[in-house]
Amino acid sequence: MSCVDKALVYAFYDGGMTAFNHLGKSDVSVACFEKCQALTHTVPLETYMETVRRRIVAKIDCYKYEEALELAKYVVDVEEQIQHIRASLPMGKQAISLGQSYSQLGQVYAYMERPEAESYFLPAIDIFTVDTDDYYRTVSYLLHYYIDAEKQRDYEVWAPKYFGGSSKVADQLTYIPNMTDDDKAVQHESYALYVYIKALYLSLI
């Protein structure tokens, strides 16, 4: 089997891992991931890291937070090693993938209700360009963490960055249905509404 054929097989099992996880067939999803692991030599390292990140999502969906944490730490370790190599080359700023790994590790810590979450969300946000989907996704994770941890002051600092610069409660609510097509391209209005309602319910706003 050629390297191209093996890469296609890898992509097949990678897609199957996600599909079977959504279908609730975690055992088949695990088998697909193990097939991917056996074919890691056929794909770039970045591709395998994306696969591992999808595996972390599956672990979170199954409430296996400790296992998700172990994998998320592994991804961060690899991404930091890659970043160390990039730093010695004329490759510009920190890689988006490093920010994504920080964001995901922060999310796992947030699900576990651990304070380490913030220490990964903030560096991730610093890496992302403002007004990108990665930026808004991670800010939403941070706001959810602040809501669950009842950190009202921190929530109030970051909420305007998520709700179109609006610091007033009424203006934040008005912002959501009036999001432009450009806004919706990087920020899902239903997610924004969920953050708003959750904060309102817990009386943070």
Side-chain angles (χ1 to χ4, degrees), residues 33-188:
F33 179 63
E34 290 173 348
K35 291 288 187 180
C36 287
Q37 288 181 306
L39 292 166
T40 53
H41 63 286
T42 68
V43 297
L45 177 59
E46 292 82 1
T47 299
Y48 178 60
M49 287 297 98
E50 291 175 1
T51 299
V52 178
R53 281 197 283 269
R54 282 191 278 275
R55 183 64 187 144
I56 294 168
V57 172
K59 293 287 187 182
I60 292 173
D61 289 345
C62 294
Y63 306 103
K64 295 180 178 179
Y65 298 137
E66 290 291 346
E67 294 178 16
L69 179 62
E70 182 178 352
L71 283 175
K73 286 181 175 180
Y74 164 71
V75 172
V76 165
D77 181 59
V78 171
E79 290 289 351
E80 288 181 338
Q81 291 184 56
I82 294 173
Q83 183 59 42
H84 180 71
I85 296 173
R86 286 172 59 92
S88 63
L89 302 171
M91 299 184 67
K93 55 190 290 187
Q94 291 177 306
I96 298 299
S97 58
L98 177 62
Q100 291 170 338
S101 69
Y102 284 157
S103 179
Q104 189 171 50
L105 180 54
Q107 188 183 24
V108 176
Y109 276 128
Y111 276 119
M112 300 175 76
E113 300 181 345
R114 289 175 53 172
E116 294 97 321
E118 184 181 37
S119 65
Y120 285 98
F121 286 145
L122 295 179
I125 292 169
D126 283 341
I127 292 173
F128 299 138
T129 301
V130 176
D131 293 335
T132 60
D133 53 352
D134 283 315
Y135 174 85
Y136 282 112
R137 185 183 303 112
T138 304
V139 173
S140 74
Y141 293 160
L142 179 65
L143 291 176
H144 278 295
Y145 166 71
Y146 285 148
I147 293 168
D148 293 336
E150 299 183 355
K151 294 188 174 184
Q152 182 171 350
R153 183 171 299 178
D154 292 320
Y155 177 90
E156 291 173 347
V157 169
W158 279 92
K161 303 178 190 299
Y162 189 68
F163 293 106
S166 302
S167 57
K168 295 182 179 179
V169 176
D171 292 340
Q172 290 177 0
L173 182 59
T174 302
Y175 164 76
I176 298 172
N178 291 315
M179 290 170 65
T180 66
D181 289 339
D182 288 340
D183 292 330
K184 294 176 183 178
V186 294
Q187 183 183 15
H188 204 294

Side-chain angles (χ1 to χ4, degrees), residues 12-27:
F12 173 79
Y13 284 118
D14 184 45
M17 183 184 71
T18 301
F20 285 114
N21 180 62
H22 285 314
L23 292 172
K25 298 183 178 181
S26 59
D27 55 337

